[in-house]
Amino acid sequence: MKRVVITGIGGITPLGHDWATISARLRQYRNAVRRMPEWDYFDALNGRLGCPVDDFVLPPWPRRHVRSMGRVAQLAVAASERALQDAGLHGNQWITDGRMGVAYGSSGGSVEPIRVMGHMLDTGSMQGVTATSYIQMMAHTTAVNIGVFFGLKGRIVPTSSACTSGSQAIGYGYEAIQQGKQKLMLCGGAEELSGPGAAVFDTLFATSTRNDEPTLTPRPFDRARDGLVVGEGATTLVLEELEHARQRGARIYAEVVGFGCNSDGSHITQPTSETMAVAMRMALDDAQLAPQAIGYISAHGTATDRGDVAESEATHAVLGAHTPISSMKSYVGHTLGTCGALESWWAIEMMREGWFAPTLNLTDADPECAPLDHIVGEVRSIDTRYVMNNNFAFGGINTSLIFKAIDA
């Protein structure tokens, strides 16, 4: 079995697009949530808060590539370009000779072509329907646009699994390299912010309605939480076989050592703590680690009623009450398809620097949640070699990833 390391990272997030900017924003203890006047058009939408990427500018790419991309694919390709540049692989023949594959996902494709197709169904008019409408709206639009844009000829693994799209992508990319099927994998997830995306959770009474208090929500694991806030962005990790990375003198961020993935098999939207716990144990078994080895947990932490309770129970059952934990969704909301990759990225960077950001707005832990060592108030200095990132999605899909600080 091959060892797998991370040699490049790129991201587009509501807090910034590079770690220096993001880490400074995390230390300001202020989230990126804002009211969305763009959604005033939707008369019955209760939650009108979001975490958009307001400063994303489309690079000057050739039109032949851009015309197949909606916003979600644009974000994914931009993050992937940054990751390849960071890894020293952009334009390198190694990524186009078949040794690099793609594992990437989003909750779905872009919304605008879906609107156009809906208009066609509603009126019979094909006005606005183009040869690329389906390409922009299809569930695997991020993965295939990345593959075509960079000329990648390895395997393509689309992971359109809502909130686990990014974490499943990292896990499946890890397994492909581990089993010797690829030398390199471009892995991650993306999401674009939209009114319909918010409405999905609004109809489930799962969105925060603190519309006039954006800095005070979301509130993961807090007694006063009232739901999630949707966000957007993209994060891409370059995964590489360790010896391949060493031979080319690559900088290594961390090693991927554990991955667990399963499903509840019981309900589409109601989480099950027992199977969540199984996913965490699977990751620990894969990494051949005892629970006590984990020095920090990046929680899924959506700030939904039952989700936080189930996650806390599962976390407590596997790792006890004394492993430090925090939720990055308190800063950028629920970025859906990208959260598994974004939260993995931030956990790795914080591990490298020896500090971890607190959960914002967590002032009174919900007694219905199992007791955990929540990082609150300010950053906490922690010297650890292992961090765990957990994510859970509609359909009862559970993922757990473990990253190790790499030896010098």
Side-chain angles (χ1 to χ4, degrees):
M1 301 290 276
K2 308 294 185 180
R3 292 175 64 185
V4 183
V5 294
I6 297 163
T7 56
I9 303 176
I12 309 291
T13 87
L15 279 193
H17 314 320
D18 61 83
W19 178 243
T21 302
I22 292 165
S23 61
R25 291 284 302 276
L26 289 173
R27 289 175 177 273
Q28 292 173 4
Y29 310 124
R30 185 179 176 87
N31 64 27
V33 180
R34 70 167 172 85
R35 197 181 192 285
M36 300 291 292
E38 303 94 319
W39 295 348
D40 288 345
Y41 172 76
F42 307 115
D43 61 354
L45 193 67
N46 297 303
R48 297 178 180 273
L49 298 172
C51 282
V53 178
D54 286 321
D55 59 350
F56 174 66
V57 177
L58 187 67
W61 295 329
R63 182 179 178 277
R64 69 181 184 277
H65 289 314
V66 174
R67 65 189 178 190
S68 65
M69 300 181 198
R71 181 173 173 85
V72 68
Q74 292 172 3
L75 291 166
V77 172
S80 298
E81 187 170 56
R82 288 170 175 267
L84 288 170
Q85 290 169 342
D86 187 53
L89 290 169
H90 192 264
N92 192 298
Q93 65 174 4
W94 288 338
I95 72 171
T96 60
D97 65 3
R99 75 182 73 184
M100 174 174 268
V102 182
Y104 217 95
S106 58
S107 294
S110 285
V111 171
E112 178 56 24
I114 296 175
R115 185 194 66 78
V116 170
M117 292 293 191
H119 179 71
M120 174 184 169
L121 289 171
D122 191 41
T123 67
S125 169
M126 287 188 62
Q127 183 178 5
V129 178
T130 72
T132 60
S133 291
Y134 175 70
I135 307 302
Q136 294 180 10
M137 66 183 278
M138 64 189 186
H140 60 309
T141 187
T142 56
V144 297
N145 269 292
I146 288 169
V148 170
F149 189 90
F150 298 109
L152 308 182
K153 299 178 179 65
R155 61 176 56 190
I156 296 249
V157 184
T159 55
S160 181
S161 60
C163 320
T164 53
S165 299
S167 50
Q168 278 194 320
I170 295 170
Y172 295 156
Y174 156 69
E175 291 179 338
I177 297 173
Q178 187 185 51
Q179 296 169 19
K181 306 299 184 182
Q182 299 281 175
K183 291 292 186 183
L184 299 137
M185 290 290 290
L186 210 52
C187 305
E191 203 72 46
E192 68 178 58
L193 188 62
S194 70
V200 168
F201 297 96
D202 204 68
T203 57
L204 294 170
F205 305 100
T207 52
S208 175
T209 57
R210 292 176 179 262
N211 297 323
D212 298 322
E213 300 176 309
T215 63
L216 299 182
T217 194
R219 309 177 67 90
F221 304 107
D222 191 83
R223 187 198 297 259
R225 69 189 182 283
D226 73 329
L228 59 79
V229 174
V230 289
E232 68 174 348
T235 300
T236 304
L237 308 183
V238 176
L239 270 57
E240 189 167 355
E241 193 269 317
L242 176 61
E243 290 308 313
H244 188 276
R246 283 177 171 167
Q247 287 171 11
R248 70 179 187 89
R251 174 186 56 188
I252 297 174
Y253 284 93
E255 183 176 359
V256 188
V257 294
F259 174 52
C261 182
N262 68 355
S263 60
D264 294 343
S266 59
H267 198 281
I268 295 292
T269 59
Q270 293 298 318
T272 303
S273 63
E274 291 80 7
T275 35
M276 288 177 166
V278 169
M280 296 180 207
R281 292 190 180 101
M282 290 170 67
L284 287 166
D285 289 344
D286 187 38
Q288 299 181 41
L289 291 175
Q292 294 78 13
I294 304 300
Y296 168 77
I297 306 161
S298 179
H300 190 55
T302 59
T304 55
D305 183 23
R306 303 318 304 167
D308 283 7
V309 172
E311 179 178 1
S312 68
E313 291 173 346
T315 304
H316 184 271
V318 177
L319 294 129
H322 304 296
T323 306
I325 185 172
S326 61
S327 170
M328 297 301 98
K329 289 182 180 68
S330 60
Y331 295 85
V332 292
H334 195 340
T335 55
L336 304 175
T338 194
C339 73
L342 181 152
E343 291 159 12
S344 293
W345 169 26
W346 291 8
I348 290 165
E349 295 280 19
M350 290 187 290
M351 174 174 64
R352 283 162 53 85
E353 296 182 359
W355 63 273
F356 293 88
T359 300
L360 295 183
N361 299 318
L362 176 50
T363 58
D364 183 14
D366 186 352
E368 288 194 27
C369 291
L372 299 173
D373 182 13
H374 294 288
I375 302 175
V376 296
E378 58 185 12
V379 302
R380 187 185 299 184
S381 296
I382 302 172
D383 182 12
T384 182
R385 292 179 58 77
Y386 296 99
V387 293
M388 173 184 281
N389 180 58
N390 297 324
N391 296 103
F392 312 104
F394 278 177
I397 304 170
N398 309 308
T399 60
S400 183
L401 288 160
I402 299 175
F403 303 99
K404 177 186 177 183
I406 195 71
D407 296 325

